[in-house]
Amino acid sequence: YEVCKRLLRYQPHVISIGSNFHPKREFKDGVFFYRINFGKLYTRVFKKILGWDVYSYNDRIFKLLKKIKPDILHIHNYYNSKELILKVRMKLPFVKVVLHMHNMSSKIDSTFPEVDCFIGASNFLTREYKKFLKAKIFKTVYNGVDLKKFLTARAQKEDLRKKIEKVPNQKN
């Protein structure tokens, strides 16, 4: 999200699993959000009891992708994306696919479809995936932290101390 809102040449759309804390659709800071929910009845009957996923997460994503028609599909740490990538390659061939991983997954192997770019969160990950994954470009992008948003423990303690000092003494 932090990177998406800084994109200038593209209109970012974020598709993710829904939650009770966020709306199903939202436009915030120049980014479109789509959150995919699975109802309790669907999950219980189809997935758990019958073992079917008649309208899978990948199917729901692909339906949105057909509407959005993105230039780039950035798949962020999603292991079950093999079926999705195959659909995109067949039905939306103009879309560039970027796979961005933060850890190893046994679901991504030499049978995984080729991606345009692979991004690993460390040199180790990039080297390991390069051994079996097909990609035109391999890059490493380290995880970053916005220091303005995350205070150190010492800074938090000082902040708290200043707030406490501002509270007037109360005598009983």
Side-chain angles (χ1 to χ4, degrees):
Y1 165 68
E2 291 297 326
V3 173
C4 285
K5 62 185 192 181
R6 291 183 178 94
L7 293 174
L8 299 175
R9 289 184 45 200
Y10 298 97
Q11 177 58 66
H13 296 258
V14 175
I15 302 170
S16 65
I17 293 176
S19 75
N20 295 331
F21 307 106
H22 299 288
K24 191 173 178 181
R25 285 191 161 68
E26 179 179 25
F27 182 75
K28 180 180 171 187
D29 297 328
V31 180
F32 289 97
F33 290 90
Y34 308 88
R35 296 179 181 94
I36 297 172
N37 295 312
F38 289 92
K40 290 180 183 178
L41 181 65
Y42 177 88
T43 302
R44 187 167 289 133
V45 172
F46 287 106
K47 289 178 150 187
K48 292 191 176 168
I49 296 172
L50 299 174
W52 300 340
D53 198 358
V54 293
Y55 191 36
S56 71
Y57 185 57
N58 282 335
D59 291 337
R60 295 166 193 230
I61 293 172
F62 189 71
K63 183 180 177 183
L64 283 168
L65 290 176
K66 286 192 304 187
K67 287 181 187 175
I68 297 167
K69 294 184 175 74
D71 295 321
I72 300 168
L73 171 60
H74 182 147
I75 299 169
H76 190 230
N77 225 43
Y78 177 49
Y79 314 117
N80 295 321
S81 57
K82 184 177 191 174
E83 175 191 320
L84 177 63
I85 293 171
L86 288 170
K87 275 187 179 179
V88 167
R89 289 285 183 229
M90 287 174 38
K91 298 185 179 181
L92 299 171
F94 56 88
V95 175
K96 300 293 183 199
V97 177
V98 176
L99 181 62
H100 186 164
M101 297 300 292
H102 290 263
N103 45 27
M104 293 300 294
S105 170
S106 60
K107 293 186 178 187
I108 299 176
D109 57 20
S110 60
T111 65
F112 206 77
E114 182 175 359
V115 294
D116 294 289
C117 179
F118 173 83
I119 300 173
S122 69
N123 287 331
F124 170 78
L125 279 175
T126 305
R127 267 193 319 273
E128 289 301 307
Y129 277 107
K130 203 174 200 177
K131 291 176 183 176
F132 57 86
L133 184 69
K134 296 176 282 299
K136 294 173 183 154
I137 300 168
F138 285 88
K139 292 286 183 185
T140 300
V141 176
Y142 303 104
N143 292 328
V145 174
D146 185 348
L147 296 176
K148 293 175 186 167
K149 290 190 177 200
F150 296 95
L151 296 173
T152 63
R154 181 179 293 155
Q156 287 175 347
K157 194 184 290 184
E158 285 297 317
D159 214 30
L160 183 60
R161 184 175 290 133
K162 287 177 186 175
K163 287 178 185 174
I164 291 171
E165 288 172 356
K166 289 181 182 178
V167 176
N169 287 337
Q170 293 181 354
K171 295 183 181 179
N172 293 336

